[in-house]
Amino acid sequence: LLTAVSGDGGQFSLSGMAPGSYRLMAFTGLPEGQAGNPEYVQSHLIRATEVDLSPRQAKSVTVVAMPAPSAK
C-alpha cells in the first residue's frame, strides 16, 4: 500500500514502483488512519483505476477523487 498527498493542483507522484498491476484510488477528505485500514480500502476497490506498469515505464494517469465518508 502506497499513499501520497496531492499538491494544490491535485497532482501527486509515486516513484520506485515495481512492474505489475496496480489499483489507484483518490479521496477528498479521507478520515485520518483510513488509508491504512484494509477493510476501508477493500470496500472502495470497485471504484479504483487499474494501471499496469512494465519495467522502467513511466505513466501519467488521471484518477477521479472520491468523496470519503466519515470513519465508523
Side-chain angles (χ1 to χ4, degrees):
L1 178 65
L2 297 172
T3 62
V5 177
S6 67
D8 292 338
Q11 297 154 338
F12 65 93
S13 65
L14 300 170
S15 60
M17 296 173 65
S21 296
Y22 294 90
R23 295 180 192 171
L24 305 177
M25 294 182 286
F27 295 95
T28 58
L30 185 65
E32 187 172 334
Q34 293 305 303
N37 178 339
E39 291 175 1
Y40 187 86
V41 172
Q42 183 71 30
S43 70
H44 292 85
L45 281 178
I46 193 153
R47 299 187 302 182
T49 299
E50 296 187 16
V51 176
D52 292 314
L53 290 178
S54 300
R56 295 180 293 284
Q57 182 180 23
K59 274 196 174 178
S60 177
V61 179
T62 299
V63 180
V64 177
M66 298 177 254
S70 300
K72 295 183 179 181

